[in-house]
Amino acid sequence: MDKLRIPTAGQHPWMPSVRGPARTLTGFALSAVLLFLVAPAVLSAFSLALLAKYLCFAMVAVGIGLAWGRGGMLTLGQGVFFGIGAYVMAMHMKLADAALFGGSGVPDFMLLYGTGVAPWWWEPFRSPLFTVAAVVLLPGLVALVLGLAIFRRKVKGAYFAILSQALAAAFAVLLIGQQGTTGGSNGLNGFRSFFGFDLNDPANKVMLFYLAAAMLLLMVAVARQLSRSRYGELLIAVRDQEERVRFLGYDPASVKVVAYVMAAGMAGIAGALFVPIVGIISPADVGVVPSISFLIGVAIGGRATLLGPVLGTIGVAFAETTLASSFPSFWVYFQGLLFILVIGFLPGGIASLPGALQRLRRRRADPQPAGRTPQGATA
């Protein structure tokens, strides 16, 4: 059997090649300095909390960059996995608060809207260890089941995108209908502690920011390692030539499922950190609109690059906070226009802009197409 020749990202003019080890280490060091030293020193407590929220969105973007940018899976339903991780953490925090401050062990909203007794499926989340494990494993398990059911039936492209978006909508509707057990449309809020730490303490809020920054850097490192590995090259091959990969003896469905599960796990961790940082989780944070917002940030930043999804998502989230407060009715149109412009004129995202400008300068410097001889000249 012929050796499988797998294309790399550098073979596409709009996909920058993976950086060398020295540049990558420099980038990680610079990012760590900015996040752990500069940001806490120059930002106010409110701005630091906003940045921590943006970092949670960026974690989701890292997984989307892996699944969509490398694997070609247009994941419009990451809000499902984000919501699973978030509600798992919120359930534990409500139970812990009820035990620490209420004494009854039953979350306050259940006393108002429910039966006054915590459902049996809430009880395991009293354990911190079980909760931490469930934050990663439960979204991954759901993604595994869905991935095997979808990819083994060769569902892909627009059909996969529509199906994943429908799952996000169904998940939000399910949460809204469970007023007595999930808080309904109000969601879960009013948290006072996080694994025993007082959330009203400013020092603990800074600790949450550090935790979010560390998890984001770890996810970027994992995504980089996967991209540079044999699996990363195989994932690109499945994206570009799925039938050829299947003909050569590989199972494209298994390759896609791994990336899909990894993206789900990252989204679950992001959701779990989002809850103590923001202080609320509701169906509005996990439905169709948030899922699309995650995707827009990745597309604008550059889905096929390592840091493009992170920077694009943080930039879009910052712009939304800034513009939506000043121009509430204008932000949606601006977001849509920006998305259209990037997809239409810069498919590789803003991260591909330097390469596009370099090719434009090269084209202007040498306007004569290669392989053609000017008229009047001899070959």
Side-chain angles (χ1 to χ4, degrees):
M1 181 178 295
D2 295 336
K3 183 179 179 181
L4 175 63
R5 296 179 59 85
I6 299 176
T8 60
Q11 291 178 342
H12 298 274
W14 51 274
M15 288 187 179
S17 60
V18 181
R19 297 177 177 181
R23 295 183 63 186
T24 301
L25 291 177
T26 302
F28 271 101
L30 180 61
S31 301
V33 169
L34 291 175
L35 290 174
F36 290 99
L37 296 179
V38 177
V42 302
L43 296 179
S44 64
F46 177 76
S47 298
L48 197 66
L50 276 181
L51 181 57
K53 174 184 174 181
Y54 302 158
L55 295 182
C56 293
F57 295 156
M59 295 179 206
V60 184
V62 173
I64 295 177
L66 181 65
W68 183 31
R70 292 280 170 175
M73 294 170 281
L74 187 57
T75 54
L76 286 174
Q78 289 304 98
V80 173
F81 309 117
F82 181 85
I84 291 175
Y87 271 90
V88 164
M89 182 57 67
M91 289 160 62
H92 169 75
M93 294 173 65
K94 293 297 289 186
L95 290 171
D97 287 350
L100 288 174
F101 305 104
S104 62
V106 179
D108 49 4
F109 76 94
M110 289 185 180
L111 298 176
L112 295 174
Y113 306 112
T115 61
V117 179
W120 63 267
W121 50 274
W122 271 64
E123 293 300 328
F125 298 104
R126 294 186 186 272
S127 168
L129 293 179
F130 182 87
T131 300
V132 171
V135 161
V136 181
L137 297 180
L138 192 55
L141 180 61
V142 173
L144 178 63
V145 174
L146 291 176
L148 290 175
I150 293 173
F151 298 130
R152 292 197 181 280
R153 288 171 172 77
K154 301 181 181 180
V155 178
K156 56 184 178 180
Y159 299 102
F160 170 73
I162 295 173
L163 180 59
S164 61
Q165 191 175 57
L167 290 173
F171 182 61
V173 171
L174 176 64
L175 293 174
I176 293 174
Q178 305 298 318
Q179 180 74 29
T181 54
T182 66
S185 58
N186 295 324
L188 302 178
N189 52 65
F191 309 108
R192 301 173 63 180
S193 66
F194 177 69
F195 292 110
F197 293 94
D198 185 6
L199 289 177
N200 293 322
D201 189 344
N204 292 333
K205 294 182 179 180
V206 175
M207 176 199 68
L208 286 172
F209 170 79
Y210 285 146
L211 182 59
M215 289 305 304
L216 175 60
L217 291 178
L218 178 61
M219 289 181 187
V220 172
V222 170
R224 177 186 179 275
Q225 195 63 31
L226 285 175
S227 300
R228 292 177 61 88
S229 66
R230 179 69 177 177
Y231 168 77
E233 296 178 344
L234 185 60
L235 184 61
I236 295 177
V238 170
R239 178 197 65 196
D240 295 339
Q241 296 290 339
E242 181 173 338
E243 294 304 322
R244 183 184 178 189
V245 170
R246 181 179 290 108
F247 174 77
L248 291 175
Y250 295 88
D251 183 12
S254 300
V255 177
K256 289 183 176 182
V257 166
V258 171
Y260 193 47
V261 170
M262 289 291 298
M266 293 178 180
I269 295 174
L273 290 175
F274 177 87
V275 171
I277 289 172
V278 179
I280 183 174
I281 185 66
S282 69
D285 299 314
V286 303
V288 173
V289 175
S291 298
I292 296 177
S293 298
F294 292 145
L295 202 73
I296 289 176
V298 174
I300 291 175
R303 62 186 177 94
T305 61
L306 183 62
L307 295 179
V310 173
L311 299 178
T313 299
I314 293 176
V316 169
F318 174 76
E320 180 178 5
T321 302
T322 304
L323 295 178
S325 59
S326 303
F327 309 98
S329 60
F330 175 73
W331 162 247
V332 178
Y333 299 103
F334 175 78
Q335 187 183 41
L337 177 62
L338 183 61
F339 183 66
I340 292 172
L341 290 176
V342 169
I343 295 298
F345 299 97
L346 204 64
I350 297 177
S352 65
L353 185 59
L357 293 176
Q358 184 178 5
R359 291 192 300 273
L360 181 60
R361 288 195 300 266
R362 194 181 301 127
R363 194 175 297 122
R364 288 181 176 180
D366 185 18
Q368 184 63 36
R372 294 185 59 181
T373 306
Q375 291 182 355
T378 59

